[in-house]
């Protein structure tokens, strides 16, 4: 469609021309319960000013049909004014009123106004999701973050429903079977932050209050919603506890009252992301409503997301970036503040351990792709923006902010945030606006902050830090230096910039009880290629040197030869959880970089994973070990490695404390690694109730894990999977059954999964994910190999014809990542060479998949020795 992919240049031109005074939006969704109805009626009235009367501009809209367009009382012909993506606005006045009446489409892709029918009770649910530029699927607007405006929503829906939006409900009236809700006008916000949630949702309510410095009391009504069929599992009290703790923390630290009146948190089905920070109406994926037993790590993750979205109420909603180049101004801050608040204000005290082991692993991976970018990225258009919600913008940015707090000081950092909110409330900012206040509050000065930003925000790539020890004849340290590597691991990539790092170096010695404990620690500023640490001379040579102890900077940790030897025999003896998590993370990076043979990494997991106390770290180890086995080990070692992992999983499962989180984690890992008739027989026995492991409850989620494993092994029939779906006829059950059917090791199962996604655009987003997850099974490479050529033939067609969300899922889900051979790499290179004009966002995704494949081949070569 012409103009569908809004560019930065167009947005800047429009922002220079227009300013928006307000929107009035009426949505009529009374048709939603009718499965045959594909559209709803959207009426938008927008008042805006034009700096150059007589000029032309456009409004954004993606709708199957436009009924009416009226500009300043003058009716325009929709056929002439609307091209499928834009409404042309000619001869603008100084002050303008635009009215657009359109039939907008209900979505099944999680973009725009998503419609979901609950298989349990047949009830219909709606919710919106827009970021970065999908509000135009629901109402006509100026779809860019710097054209903020107040919004007043009115929604007509079935009378038995509830409706939520950014503003508080002002009134509602009933007319027959319909009810119309009117909501209070919002503060000025961006289009992507507006929200409507509608349906017969179950709701829990609470409130939070705080006395303000002027003596008044701030009262914030709280609500938490989910589908009615999930109400028995909804632990709203725990959600409210974390919410109140977060509100206490952010009000104390930011000293700016929560500005959006109420705080609703809606848990919605088939959500594409973890959550979205719509002010006053935050939406979350309903996977955070736990139907079955989950580990403490799942509750910790949910708390982190709650606090992440709450931080956005200030970083992102109150103060918003002008364009998506500065996406980090909200996402990096929210990612950092989520962990910071969690550690400071809640019972979940492993926040920084999880951050070091999981979030930063995402950043390290993303930052080594050939498509890596600075934290402040070059975002040309909204397709670029969609792909930049990535590990760099979130986790690397958050890591760099952690470094900034160490650099500027905690008090100076938060004082800078307070001034930033006061100066730019309800406005839009760029990087320089933040640096300006931090230069003052930190005392570092403008040049120092610009230098810091240049080093950390405006360059790409990750550095490696390696200790270099010199000892005397008595085994005491004479010098310890930190080497900073500016050369990438892939020689085809560009050299990396060296950066300043504020780090801690920890020396760990073996104690009489066998534990590895820190016996010395120094902080230093690493600059350049080699920096000598002072204060360690004379210390006994330790068993382990850990650079970046306490995880103060963003880097890959390397080890000297003696430290690596210590880890091979004693990694599990590191007593401090964060230090142990950092060590595991470093070993995984060494494996991904081909510097540690993948079978050696598996040996570490086999030997020490059973000693890991942190459940989040343990679950990461399970994921990484499975990944190493699938693509990093020498193919000749796969069968032996699979046998050893399965034996380890079963051994640890039987040894775990009955009913513990560790037992559940090992049970899931055993299902994922089961190997051989005896293992599969145990899975079948657990399902049938003829086998039992003391303390292990085989609840519904675990049952699906077992069924998917059996299906992939060819030991589950269609009839058995259908019977399990009847037992669990829920949205989650439907997705798991679809995955299990696609996982079966038959040509027919693969053809059906492929066709369901590639040959039709009717599959909802959640089912696309289920089909691709089942399609790709490590033990079925020969069945999926024929689809490599078809995949590359379809790429551009899928990208052009599907929504960007579904296209992204196709590109990543069906890429032949398990075909780790030279022929697949050559096929990928041939497509890239033959399609230089393909959409940049599509090429980026394929380049990233190509990089993972090339990395797998290098790791396999390293594993062969």
């Amino acid at each position: 469609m012409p103009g569908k992919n809004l560019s930065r240049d167009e947005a800047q031109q429009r922002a220079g021309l227009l300013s928006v005074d307000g929107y009035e939006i009426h949505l009529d969704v009374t048709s939603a319960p009718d499965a045959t109805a594909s559209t709803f009626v959207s009426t938008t009235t927008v008042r805006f000013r034009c700096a150059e009367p007589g000029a032309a501009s456009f409004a954004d809209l993606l709708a199957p049909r436009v009924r009416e367009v009226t500009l300043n009382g003058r009716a325009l012909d929709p056929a002439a004014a609307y091209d499928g993506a834009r409404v042309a606005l000619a001869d603008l006045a100084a002050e303008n009123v635009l009215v657009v009446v359109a039939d907008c489409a209900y979505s099944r892709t999680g973009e725009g106004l998503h419609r979901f029918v609950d298989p349990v009770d047949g009830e219909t649910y709606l919710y919106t999701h827009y970021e970065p530029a999908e509000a135009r699927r629901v109402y006509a607007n100026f779809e860019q973050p710097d054209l903020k405006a107040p919004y007043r929503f009115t929604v007509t829906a079935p009378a038995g429903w509830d409706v939520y939006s950014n503003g508080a409900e002002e009134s509602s009236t009933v007319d027959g079977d319909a009810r119309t809700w009117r909501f209070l006008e919002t503060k000025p916000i961006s289009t992507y932050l507006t929200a409507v949630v509608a349906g017969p949702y179950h709701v829990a309510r609470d409130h939070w209050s705080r006395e303000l410095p002027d003596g008044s009391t701030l009262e914030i009504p709280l609500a938490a919603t989910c589908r009615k069929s999930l109400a028995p599992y909804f632990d709203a009290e725990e959600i409210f506890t974390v919410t109140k703790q977060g509100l206490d923390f952010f009000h104390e630290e930011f000293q700016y009252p929560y500005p959006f009146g109420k705080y609703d948190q809606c848990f919605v089905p088939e959500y594409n992301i973890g959550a979205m920070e719509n002010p006053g109406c935050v939406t979350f994926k309903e996977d955070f409503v736990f139907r079955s037993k989950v580990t403490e790590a799942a509750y910790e993750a949910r708390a982190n997301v709650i606090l992440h979205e709450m931080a956005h109420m200030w970083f992102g909603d109150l103060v918003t970036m002008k364009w998506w180049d500065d996406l980090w101004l909200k996402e990096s801050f929210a990612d950092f503040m989520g962990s910071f608040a969690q550690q400071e204000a809640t019972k979940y005290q492993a926040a920084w351990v999880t951050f070091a082991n999981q979030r930063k692993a995402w950043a390290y991976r993303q930052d080594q792709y050939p498509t890596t970018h600075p934290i402040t990225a070059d975002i040309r258009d909204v397709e670029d923006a969609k792909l930049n919600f990535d590990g760099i913008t979130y986790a690397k940015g958050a890591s760099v902010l952690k470094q900034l707090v160490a650099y500027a000081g905690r008090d100076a950092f938060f004082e800078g945030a307070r001034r930033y909110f006061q100066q730019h409330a309800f406005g839009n900012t760029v990087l320089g606006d933040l640096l300006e206040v931090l230069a003052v509050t930190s005392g570092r000065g403008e040049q120092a902050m610009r230098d810091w930003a240049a080093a950390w925000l405006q360059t790409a790539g990750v550095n490696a830090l390696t200790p270099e020890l010199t000892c005397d004849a008595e085994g005491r340290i004479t010098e310890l230096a930190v080497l900073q590597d500016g050369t990438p691991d892939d020689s085809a990539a560009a050299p990396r910039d060296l950066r300043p790092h504020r780090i801690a170096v920890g020396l760990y010695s073996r104690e009489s009880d066998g534990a590895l404990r820190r016996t010395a620690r120094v902080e230093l500023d690493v600059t350049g290629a080699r920096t000598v640490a002072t204060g360690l001379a004379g210390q006994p040579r330790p068993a382990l040197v850990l650079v970046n102890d306490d995880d103060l900077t963003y880097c890959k940790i390397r080890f000297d030869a003696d430290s690596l030897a210590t880890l091979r025999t004693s990694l599990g003896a590191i007593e401090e959880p964060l230090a142990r998590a950092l060590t595991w993370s470093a070993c995984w990076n060494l494996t991904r970089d081909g510097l540690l043979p993948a079978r050696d990494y598996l040996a570490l997991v086999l030997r020490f994973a059973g000693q890991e106390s942190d459940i989040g770290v343990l679950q990461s180890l399970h994921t990484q070990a499975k990944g190493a086995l699938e693509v990093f080990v020498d193919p000749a070692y796969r069968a032996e490695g699979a046998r050893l992992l399965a034996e380890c999983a079963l051994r640890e499962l039987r040894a775990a404390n009955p009913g513990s989180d560790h037992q559940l984690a090992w049970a899931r890992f055993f299902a994922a690694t089961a190997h051989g008739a005896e293992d599969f027989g145990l899975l079948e026995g657990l399902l049938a109730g003829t086998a039992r492991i003391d303390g292990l409850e085989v609840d519904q989620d675990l049952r699906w894990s077992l069924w998917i494993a059996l299906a992939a092994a060819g030991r589950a029939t269609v009839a058995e999977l259908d019977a399990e779906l009847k037992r669990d006829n829920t949205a989650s059950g439907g997705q798991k059954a679809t995955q299990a059917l696609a996982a079966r090791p038959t040509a027919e199962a693969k053809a059906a999964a492929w066709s369901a996604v590639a040959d039709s655009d009717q599959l909802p987003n959640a089912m696309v994910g289920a089909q691709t997850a089942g399609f790709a099974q490590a033990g079925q490479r020969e069945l999926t190999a024929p689809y490599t050529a078809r995949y590359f033939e379809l790429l551009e067609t899928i990208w052009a014809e599907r929504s960007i969300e579904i296209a992204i899922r196709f590109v990543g889900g069906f890429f032949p990542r398990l075909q780790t051979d030279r022929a697949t790499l050559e096929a990928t290179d041939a497509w890239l060479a033959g399609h230089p004009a393909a959409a940049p966002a599509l090429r980026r995704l394929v380049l990233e998949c190509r990089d993972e494949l090339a990395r797998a081949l290098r790791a396999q070569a390293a594993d062969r020795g």
Side-chain angles (χ1 to χ4, degrees):
M1 291 181 183
K4 183 178 178 181
N5 187 17
L6 178 71
S7 74
R8 175 178 54 204
D9 290 344
E10 291 173 312
Q12 288 174 344
Q13 291 169 7
R14 187 163 62 177
L17 186 67
L18 306 183
S19 53
V20 187
D21 295 319
Y23 289 84
E24 294 180 12
I25 299 160
H26 179 216
L27 307 179
D28 185 340
V29 296
T30 51
S31 63
D34 179 0
T36 65
S38 60
T39 61
F40 59 94
V41 180
S42 167
T43 302
T44 302
T45 301
V46 54
R47 292 172 172 80
F48 63 100
R49 284 165 284 133
C50 177
E52 299 175 16
S57 189
F58 62 93
D60 301 292
L61 178 67
L62 297 176
R65 177 184 175 219
V66 174
R67 298 186 183 189
E68 302 173 19
V69 179
T70 304
L71 177 62
N72 298 330
R74 183 177 77 252
L76 306 182
D77 178 6
Y82 181 60
D83 66 3
R86 298 181 176 186
V87 179
L89 306 175
D91 193 23
L92 292 171
E95 296 187 357
N96 303 273
V97 179
L98 172 68
V99 180
V100 180
V101 182
D103 293 331
C104 294
Y106 292 112
S107 168
R108 294 297 283 121
T109 65
E111 303 151 300
L113 182 63
H114 187 86
R115 177 170 61 177
F116 172 84
V117 178
D118 192 335
V120 175
D121 54 19
E123 296 281 14
T124 300
Y125 294 87
L126 305 176
Y127 64 87
T128 57
H129 179 66
Y130 299 147
E131 193 174 40
E134 307 295 350
R136 55 192 169 149
R137 295 182 183 274
V138 177
Y139 60 92
N141 61 57
F142 302 111
E143 186 83 284
Q144 57 191 78
D146 58 344
L147 287 179
K148 281 185 165 183
Y151 290 79
R152 184 180 291 274
F153 278 91
T154 303
V155 181
T156 302
W161 284 15
D162 283 321
V163 180
Y164 305 87
S165 188
N166 305 96
E169 181 183 325
E170 182 178 40
S171 66
S172 68
T173 56
V174 177
D175 182 7
D177 294 333
R179 179 185 293 269
T180 297
W181 284 259
R182 294 175 180 82
F183 296 93
L184 293 173
E185 186 175 75
T186 70
K187 298 288 189 180
I189 57 176
S190 303
T191 52
Y192 76 91
L193 292 168
T194 58
V196 170
V197 175
Y201 283 91
H202 165 78
V203 61
R205 297 189 183 278
D206 206 328
H207 72 279
W208 175 89
S209 63
R210 184 180 184 88
E211 184 175 338
L212 298 178
D214 64 4
S216 63
T217 300
L218 178 65
E219 295 280 354
I220 305 296
L222 308 178
T225 75
C226 69
R227 287 186 288 130
K228 288 194 298 186
S229 62
L230 289 177
Y233 314 105
F234 197 42
D235 54 339
E237 184 175 345
E238 169 64 15
I239 291 166
F240 286 140
T241 295
V242 174
T243 302
K244 293 174 186 179
Q245 290 169 332
L247 287 169
D248 283 339
F249 176 82
F250 288 123
H251 277 82
E252 182 67 28
E253 296 295 343
F254 293 161
Q255 294 294 303
Y256 192 105
Y258 171 73
F260 299 110
K262 66 181 177 70
Y263 204 81
D264 299 340
Q265 296 177 100
C266 302
F267 294 77
V268 299
E270 297 183 332
Y271 208 41
N272 285 334
I273 59 174
M276 181 63 205
E277 67 268 19
N278 316 305
C281 189
V282 184
T283 40
F284 295 83
K285 66 177 182 180
E286 68 178 18
D287 301 46
F288 287 130
V289 181
F290 305 124
R291 298 191 314 151
S292 297
K293 177 180 171 60
V294 296
T295 68
E296 184 75 359
Y299 288 98
E300 177 197 321
R302 182 178 68 183
N304 182 276
V305 174
I306 288 171
L307 296 169
H308 174 116
E309 303 310 321
M310 189 178 292
H312 273 311
M313 298 300 126
W314 290 266
F315 283 111
D317 296 1
L318 177 66
V319 182
T320 312
M321 72 273 157
K322 283 188 177 180
W323 180 248
W324 303 101
D325 305 73
D326 280 311
L327 175 63
W328 80 282
L329 278 173
K330 73 184 188 77
E331 293 302 348
S332 298
F333 276 87
D335 217 45
F336 169 74
M337 293 306 309
S339 294
F340 194 99
Q342 191 172 3
Q343 189 82 32
E344 297 266 329
T346 77
K347 67 180 180 181
Y348 301 104
Q349 292 297 293
W352 291 122
V353 174
T354 302
F355 182 83
N357 189 257
Q358 295 180 16
R359 298 299 284 181
K360 291 182 82 169
W362 180 28
Y364 295 142
R365 180 173 182 163
Q366 190 83 43
D367 210 8
Q368 293 175 87
Y369 286 147
T371 57
T372 188
H373 57 85
I375 294 171
T376 53
D378 180 24
I379 304 299
R380 297 160 293 186
D381 51 44
V382 294
E383 283 193 4
D384 275 359
K386 178 74 171 179
L387 297 192
N388 263 48
F389 290 82
D390 61 15
I392 295 171
T393 301
Y394 282 75
K396 179 180 180 179
S399 304
V400 167
L401 287 177
K402 193 176 183 186
Q403 172 87 176
L404 177 59
V405 172
Y407 179 70
R410 183 190 192 281
D411 293 343
F413 174 81
F414 280 102
E415 177 58 27
R418 295 174 197 128
R419 297 188 188 186
Y420 179 70
F421 299 140
Q422 291 289 343
Q423 292 174 18
H424 301 287
F426 303 109
N428 296 84
T429 60
V430 294
L431 167 63
D433 298 316
L434 179 68
L435 297 181
E436 183 179 310
V437 294
L438 288 175
V440 175
T441 60
S442 69
R444 294 276 187 174
E446 291 185 12
Q447 187 60 51
M449 292 309 304
R450 282 197 296 267
D451 291 345
W452 179 88
W456 281 107
L457 301 179
Q458 296 164 346
T459 60
V462 54
N463 302 109
L465 301 183
T466 306
E468 180 184 71
L469 274 76
T470 305
C471 296
D472 60 21
E474 285 74 38
R476 295 191 173 275
I477 296 173
T478 56
E479 182 182 84
L480 191 152
V482 177
L483 309 182
Q484 181 175 188
D485 183 4
T487 60
D489 304 300
D490 180 355
S491 58
R496 302 190 192 101
D497 295 290
L498 300 182
R499 297 187 177 94
H501 300 261
R502 181 68 179 176
I503 68 166
V505 176
L507 307 185
Y508 288 77
S509 300
R510 196 182 309 278
E511 301 294 301
S512 59
D513 60 0
L516 285 173
R517 293 194 183 94
R518 187 166 68 190
T519 52
R521 176 187 183 275
V522 295
E523 285 194 21
L524 67 150
D525 291 317
V526 171
T527 57
R530 188 177 190 273
T531 304
V532 176
T534 59
L536 293 175
Q539 290 281 343
R541 182 182 187 108
L544 169 67
V545 178
L546 185 60
V547 296
N548 198 29
D549 204 0
D550 296 323
D551 199 30
L552 299 182
T553 194
Y554 172 79
C555 70
K556 290 193 290 187
I557 296 170
R558 302 303 196 208
F559 301 103
D560 64 284
D562 288 347
S563 292
L564 190 56
T566 295
L567 296 178
R568 292 180 188 276
T569 62
S570 309
L571 191 157
I574 300 172
E575 193 171 61
E576 163 57 38
L578 179 56
R580 199 168 59 247
L582 289 168
T583 302
W584 277 118
S585 175
C587 290
W588 177 239
N589 280 323
L590 288 168
T591 305
R592 281 180 47 79
D593 291 345
L595 302 177
L596 179 70
R599 71 186 68 194
D600 288 7
Y601 178 79
L602 291 180
L604 291 172
V605 173
L606 293 169
R607 184 166 185 177
F608 301 118
Q611 301 174 30
E612 180 52 57
S613 61
D614 186 282
I615 188 62
V617 173
L618 177 63
Q619 290 174 290
S620 292
L621 296 179
H622 289 164
T623 300
Q624 291 163 358
K626 189 169 182 292
L629 179 67
E630 289 177 349
V631 297
F632 287 164
V633 299
D634 178 5
Y637 181 73
R638 283 180 189 146
E640 175 67 6
R643 180 186 66 80
L644 292 172
L645 274 185
E647 288 179 355
C648 171
L650 181 57
R651 180 175 65 252
E652 296 297 341
L653 169 60
R654 295 192 183 281
N657 290 331
S660 66
D661 284 359
H662 281 64
Q663 184 188 55
L664 177 60
W666 283 110
R668 290 174 177 165
F669 189 53
F670 175 59
T673 58
H675 184 77
E678 188 173 340
D679 286 353
F680 293 119
L682 177 56
L683 300 187
E684 291 166 343
L686 290 170
L687 280 168
T690 57
R692 185 173 179 274
I693 294 175
D694 188 30
L696 181 66
E697 179 185 355
V698 184
D699 57 22
Q700 190 58 63
D701 281 359
L702 184 54
R703 287 182 65 85
W704 278 120
S705 295
L706 304 181
W707 275 119
I708 290 169
L710 290 169
R715 297 177 69 112
T717 66
V718 173
E720 287 173 322
L721 296 174
D722 286 345
E724 189 66 24
L725 179 56
K726 288 179 181 178
R727 172 192 176 107
D728 181 31
N729 187 26
T730 64
S732 177
Q735 293 162 26
K736 295 298 185 183
T738 296
Q739 181 179 343
L741 288 167
R744 291 171 299 142
T746 67
E748 294 77 13
K750 301 308 167 191
W754 174 270
S755 178
V757 179
D759 298 339
S760 170
D761 64 355
Q762 298 303 304
L763 207 62
N765 53 337
M767 287 302 186
V768 171
Q771 294 282 15
T772 58
F775 180 86
Q777 300 295 315
Q780 301 171 8
R781 289 173 170 84
E782 71 288 348
L783 287 172
T784 55
Y787 291 88
T788 298
R790 298 185 214 180
Y791 169 84
F792 288 113
E793 289 168 3
L794 274 179
L795 275 179
E796 285 195 294
T797 300
I798 293 289
W799 193 263
E801 295 180 354
R802 305 296 175 86
S803 77
I804 191 169
E805 180 65 36
I806 298 301
I808 288 171
R809 290 179 185 232
F810 179 91
V811 175
F814 280 127
F815 181 83
R817 68 176 187 86
L818 295 174
Q819 308 298 331
T820 50
D821 52 45
R822 187 61 53 181
T824 306
L825 187 66
E826 290 171 355
T828 308
D829 287 339
W831 185 90
L832 288 165
H835 296 80
L842 171 59
R843 285 184 57 84
R844 170 178 167 172
L845 289 171
V846 176
L847 278 165
E848 290 174 355
C849 290
R850 189 258 182 216
D851 188 75
E852 289 289 342
L853 181 58
R855 183 177 291 273
L857 292 175
R858 293 196 299 272
Q860 288 178 13
D863 195 55
R864 282 192 294 272

